[in-house]
Amino acid sequence: FCLWGPQTTAEIGAVEQIVVSYCSFPGRGTRLFHNGTIISAHFVETPDFIQITGTGNFQDIHIAAGDAGGELDPHGADGAGNPHGGLVFTNRWTQGTSGLGQQIHEWTNFMSVSQYCIRACKPGPMAAAYCQHIYDVTGCAWNMPADYGEGFTECKGDSGIPMGLYPQADGSTSTFHQGEGATPPAHPAPSTSACTTYQSSSLYAPTAFAAASASAAAATSGGVNTRSGTTAIPTATQAANSAGIVRPTFVSLGSAMPCLVATSLVGLFAAVSVLF
């Protein structure tokens, strides 16, 4: 799978508009994780979203030591997304017109030097609520309460309560706005079931153990279908790309764990982010 990270050592908040992607699997023109970057990964599919949470050594992908992190999302302060033009695709719910995934218009990803979480919300009336992008200083555990412990798992799960919404005793719902008073506690992690445990080796293709700074080749018209090894890439729609820069993000299914992929195309170079 893939995650966003700086091109050179920096804090995420300082470079969120220009982050690139690092992946555990080659073939989409990205930089690659090397063995040991991802320490744990927990994939959950709910009725409203898919997400991966876990820990890692993200100095390997140029996040500065001690960085408490920042948020990436398709909106950003200027409406162009962080990274600019960032797009997300998944084939978890449909194969899309190309067979390699549908574009997801609501997603959110937090990265720090040691922890990550990413969520892609299923298109529908609750997508924006479950993939809010306005709580950028509250971090993974508050926005996506889930398993951040050891191991590599895939589970089904409940959607839980959207971040920032708090049901009241009278049946109403209170909405927390960041910066207005004390931050309320995070919701409890939603329940999970039907879990499968994997080895860390399930993350990586045999050729994926590259140095974190290794850059992939220039972007072409194709990526890689991880099931067949054939070259193909979905055509990114422009709806979420107000910056005029196409940075697709893909969510696909690998041969072991399900795979969420985020791709960033910057000029002639591609960088992809894939999540299990």
Side-chain angles (χ1 to χ4, degrees):
F1 77 98
C2 314
L3 294 169
W4 304 110
Q7 300 178 57
T8 58
T9 300
E11 293 188 350
I12 285 288
V15 295
E16 57 190 8
Q17 296 178 342
I18 56 171
V19 292
V20 295
S21 300
Y22 296 82
C23 298
S24 64
F25 205 98
R28 293 188 186 272
T30 75
R31 294 160 172 81
L32 298 174
F33 297 135
H34 60 101
N35 195 7
T37 300
I38 302 299
I39 297 172
S40 66
H42 302 284
F43 174 90
V44 175
E45 179 181 10
T46 81
D48 294 288
F49 56 82
I50 53 176
Q51 73 178 25
I52 306 171
T53 58
T55 58
N57 176 16
F58 295 124
Q59 285 184 266
D60 283 355
I61 60 170
H62 301 305
I63 296 180
D67 185 11
E71 185 208 15
L72 297 313
D73 64 67
H75 303 281
D78 57 7
N82 287 323
H84 272 176
L87 304 178
V88 172
F89 292 83
T90 179
N91 65 6
R92 191 65 177 181
W93 301 298
T94 177
Q95 296 298 311
T97 56
S98 68
L100 290 180
Q102 69 179 128
Q103 185 177 341
I104 299 300
H105 295 283
E106 296 294 345
W107 56 273
T108 179
N109 173 207
F110 286 80
M111 295 294 301
S112 77
V113 72
S114 60
Q115 188 180 72
Y116 69 95
C117 55
I118 186 165
R119 177 182 289 182
C121 285
K122 190 174 185 177
M126 294 300 293
Y130 278 108
C131 280
Q132 274 287 5
H133 60 281
I134 61 173
Y135 303 115
D136 57 325
V137 302
T138 51
C140 275
W142 194 89
N143 282 273
M144 299 180 222
D147 189 353
Y148 291 88
E150 297 180 353
F152 297 82
T153 60
E154 174 194 348
C155 301
K156 299 292 186 181
D158 295 336
S159 297
I161 301 171
M163 60 277 274
L165 299 185
Y166 291 85
Q168 304 299 300
D170 63 2
S172 64
T173 298
S174 173
T175 301
F176 167 66
H177 296 281
Q178 185 173 279
E180 296 182 2
T183 302
H187 294 306
S191 62
T192 58
S193 61
C195 294
T196 302
T197 299
Y198 293 89
Q199 298 299 313
S200 60
S201 58
S202 299
L203 285 174
Y204 297 100
T207 59
F209 302 125
S213 59
S215 177
T220 67
S221 61
V224 168
N225 179 327
T226 57
R227 293 189 178 200
S228 64
T230 58
T231 58
I233 199 166
T235 301
T237 68
Q238 303 303 307
N241 189 3
S242 58
I245 305 169
V246 178
R247 301 180 183 222
T249 296
F250 302 92
V251 182
S252 61
L253 293 178
S255 57
M257 295 175 72
C259 190
L260 175 65
V261 186
T263 305
S264 171
L265 302 180
V266 188
L268 293 179
F269 293 88
V272 182
S273 209
V274 185
L275 297 169
F276 277 67

